[in-house]
Amino acid sequence: MMIDFGSIKTYNNDRGFGFVGCTFSSPSGNVFFHIKKIKKKYPELADKLDNRETDVETVNFWYRIEINEKGQQVSELWLGTQEIRQIYADELHGLIQKVESIWKNVESPKPSWLDLVTIELVGVERKHELSGERDNLETQLREAEEEQGRQAEALRQNEIRRIANVHNRTKEEAEELEQLLAEMRPLNFKRSKDLSAYIVRHQLGYRYPNISGIVRMEDEGREWDFHGGFPTDIYSIICDELDLDNQGTTARAIKFTSFKSLY
């Protein structure tokens, strides 16, 4: 058995039972309760539910779960933590630790229930303290991510300059080559024909208007246009950077028109 907290999701006043949501045990789950559990301690609330005098979804409470042959159901409930018996102090302490860890986990979104449950467990003042600590942690995380972004961009710009210098390319061509190579390197191609097949299958050429376009091909007297292809010199650079043998075919490129010059 364990303690949880939730709002009433549904209640059938004709039959006297409903379901309450979970916060800790199964956030997307519901637990069965019978109105007699509420009537025993909170008869006025039970009357309001039975007479439809209150919106059931605004009613929340702490409760203890028991499991029987019919599944999970509420065995005991309280409208506030101050009413929970001392024998459950260790469980409440565990919930407090869990809630405080959620406040500190800034890499995950803040749950909608966190403010209410925190106030219930540790009070408004401590909730404000935890909120301030989370704000500071979020600021630190954001600053760290921004710094990582600046460092990554600096490395990218260095790589663009290297490609431009080594291969005698314009800045625009080097930028597109850097982007293409960054996508290709993790794929670990072993042969140039595998690279070519990937480029064709994913139509990568259309994403790089400065280094890709319409390649006029020729083979044994037959000519055709290859749309979205890379000219021979660009393809050689790609193979060189990826350390692939440029396994060409008898077909050769005789003319290249970049997409940028066309559109």
Side-chain angles (χ1 to χ4, degrees):
M1 294 194 294
M2 66 173 295
I3 290 177
D4 210 324
F5 176 83
S7 301
I8 295 177
K9 299 301 181 183
T10 61
Y11 176 63
N12 186 325
N13 63 325
D14 293 326
R15 303 183 66 181
F17 68 83
F19 291 88
V20 60
C22 305
T23 298
F24 299 102
S25 60
S26 176
S28 60
N30 297 312
V31 177
F32 175 89
F33 74 91
H34 198 280
I35 194 63
K36 65 182 180 181
K37 296 291 184 181
I38 299 178
K39 284 182 178 179
K40 183 177 180 180
K41 297 180 69 173
Y42 309 104
E44 291 184 3
L45 175 58
D47 288 341
K48 288 182 179 180
L49 290 171
D50 279 337
N51 296 324
R52 296 188 176 93
E53 295 177 8
T54 185
D55 183 356
V56 296
E57 294 184 358
T58 65
V59 179
N60 50 63
F61 51 78
W62 295 87
Y63 59 91
R64 191 161 177 79
I65 300 172
E66 68 176 3
I67 302 176
N68 56 30
E69 65 278 3
K70 295 182 179 180
Q72 292 187 337
Q73 67 178 35
V74 173
S75 64
E76 189 175 1
L77 62 91
W78 309 271
L79 292 183
T81 54
Q82 71 279 1
E83 300 177 5
I84 299 177
R85 289 183 291 164
Q86 186 62 30
I87 60 172
Y88 301 134
D90 288 344
E91 280 194 62
L92 284 179
H93 180 68
L95 293 180
I96 290 171
Q97 290 183 316
K98 186 169 185 177
V99 162
E100 295 202 352
S101 70
I102 293 173
W103 277 103
K104 296 174 184 177
N105 183 15
V106 293
E107 294 184 357
S108 296
K110 176 185 168 186
S112 59
W113 50 262
L114 190 57
D115 285 343
L116 174 60
V117 172
T118 302
I119 292 171
E120 286 274 340
L121 285 171
V122 294
V124 174
E125 185 175 345
R126 180 56 179 154
K127 178 262 177 184
H128 288 324
E129 292 176 355
L130 290 167
S131 182
E133 291 173 8
R134 184 180 178 90
D135 288 343
N136 291 335
L137 290 171
E138 287 177 337
T139 298
Q140 294 172 17
L141 178 63
R142 183 168 58 253
E143 290 175 348
E145 289 174 344
E146 290 172 352
E147 178 59 26
Q148 289 176 354
R150 287 191 291 269
Q151 293 178 2
E153 179 59 20
L155 291 173
R156 192 179 79 86
Q157 291 299 326
N158 287 338
E159 178 66 359
I160 290 171
R161 286 191 289 271
R162 183 193 69 79
I163 292 172
N165 292 333
V166 170
H167 300 290
N168 193 26
R169 292 289 147 182
T170 67
K171 183 176 184 294
E172 291 77 12
E173 292 172 336
E175 285 178 340
E176 291 187 1
L177 279 165
E178 186 279 332
Q179 185 180 347
L180 174 64
L181 291 167
E183 180 180 348
M184 296 298 102
R185 285 194 175 98
L187 301 178
N188 294 317
F189 291 118
K190 303 301 182 184
R191 300 175 299 179
S192 64
K193 68 177 183 180
D194 296 329
L195 168 66
S196 297
Y198 184 90
I199 289 172
V200 172
R201 185 167 64 253
H202 294 275
Q203 298 183 323
L204 295 190
Y206 293 99
R207 288 160 44 186
Y208 305 101
N210 288 286
I211 61 175
S212 178
I214 301 174
V215 182
R216 187 71 174 174
M217 304 295 296
E218 186 273 334
D219 188 18
E220 297 180 351
R222 185 172 64 91
E223 295 184 9
W224 69 95
D225 288 336
F226 177 29
H227 290 253
F230 298 95
T232 302
D233 56 344
I234 293 293
Y235 188 74
S236 295
I237 292 172
I238 297 170
C239 289
D240 180 58
E241 289 285 338
L242 297 177
D243 197 25
L244 300 174
D245 291 332
N246 190 355
Q247 300 165 332
T249 67
T250 57
R252 62 189 181 92
I254 59 176
K255 182 181 178 182
F256 171 71
T257 306
S258 71
F259 284 140
K260 184 177 180 181
S261 66
L262 291 174
Y263 307 108

